[in-house]
Amino acid sequence: MISSLRGTVLVAAGSAVVIDVGGVGYAVQVTPAHALSLRVGHEATLLTSLVVREDSLSLFGFPGQDELHIFDLLCGVTGVGPKSAMGVLATLDPSAIASAVATEDDAVFRRVSGIGPKTAKLIVLQLAGKVVVTSTPVSRAAAAAAPAGVQSSVLAALVGLGWSERAAAQAVDDVLAEAGDSESVPAVLRLALARLGPAQPSGVSR
């Protein structure tokens, strides 16, 4: 069982990354936001879940214990496979998932591609009382220092996807103004991408 990987990032594109661990490259499926937060040539640590099928072995990677815990729970829901579980995590962060389950709001899950009304209801029913988000709240001092780093990281990711710096900066500024300064890089990136729509080809301004 491979429960974690620590090594150099060789590839980070789309929803797949390759991590070099002792000369062996491990292909890992991650969310798009997670992939964009990793830098090629830099060291990274991923918590992983190994999914064994008759004809394949697939690794799914996560930035923290909350995401891994929710992934495992989602995979236990009738009708939800690993790809659908990753789709949920790509659309909703752990806090949003926990809130939706606690309030029995299955509508948020229906917005995830591949999740229908019946499956959305099953997610709420089968995850009830099981979703525990362990992330420690950010201190006020850390929250005050975070915006600049979050802004620059998300801006770099959007420009790397092909958006002009001007369009990307405007989207990030709008998101931070609405969502608040304590948002994380993946959360701001997700919201900015939703605001911008499909990424433009490199060199094409918007």
Side-chain angles (χ1 to χ4, degrees):
M1 183 66 171
I2 302 174
S3 58
S4 68
L5 293 174
R6 181 180 181 182
T8 303
V9 179
L10 298 181
V11 177
S15 58
V17 300
V18 177
I19 306 294
D20 180 357
V21 182
V24 178
Y26 291 85
V28 188
Q29 296 297 308
V30 299
T31 64
H34 189 188
L36 287 171
S37 71
L38 301 174
R39 300 181 63 185
V40 173
H42 289 243
E43 186 176 272
T45 299
L46 279 67
L47 299 183
T48 60
S49 178
L50 177 63
V51 176
V52 181
R53 297 287 172 82
E54 290 184 0
D55 58 349
S56 67
L57 296 174
S58 301
L59 270 176
F60 294 85
F62 311 91
Q65 187 62 46
D66 289 335
E67 290 84 357
L68 173 60
H69 175 58
I70 289 176
F71 173 81
D72 288 338
L73 289 176
L74 286 169
C75 287
V77 175
T78 304
V80 179
K83 290 185 178 180
S84 293
M86 291 300 286
V88 172
L89 286 167
T91 306
L92 304 165
D93 61 32
S95 295
I97 294 171
S99 176
V101 171
T103 58
E104 300 182 357
D105 180 12
D106 61 282
V108 297
F109 297 110
R110 294 201 302 269
R111 292 197 287 268
V112 178
S113 178
I115 301 294
K118 182 178 179 180
T119 302
K121 290 183 182 297
L122 284 173
I123 289 174
V124 170
L125 288 173
Q126 295 186 24
L127 265 60
K130 299 178 182 178
V131 181
V132 178
V133 176
T134 60
S135 298
T136 303
V138 179
S139 68
R140 291 186 178 182
V150 170
Q151 184 179 40
S152 61
S153 295
V154 176
L155 180 59
L158 291 173
V159 171
L161 282 172
W163 290 98
S164 69
E165 186 171 351
R166 180 178 179 181
Q170 184 62 58
V172 173
D173 287 344
D174 290 344
V175 168
L176 288 175
E178 294 178 5
D181 292 339
S182 62
E183 292 288 345
S184 64
V185 169
V188 174
L189 177 59
R190 187 182 297 114
L191 292 170
L193 285 171
R195 181 177 292 273
L196 288 167
Q200 300 297 303
S202 180
V204 177
S205 61
R206 180 181 174 93

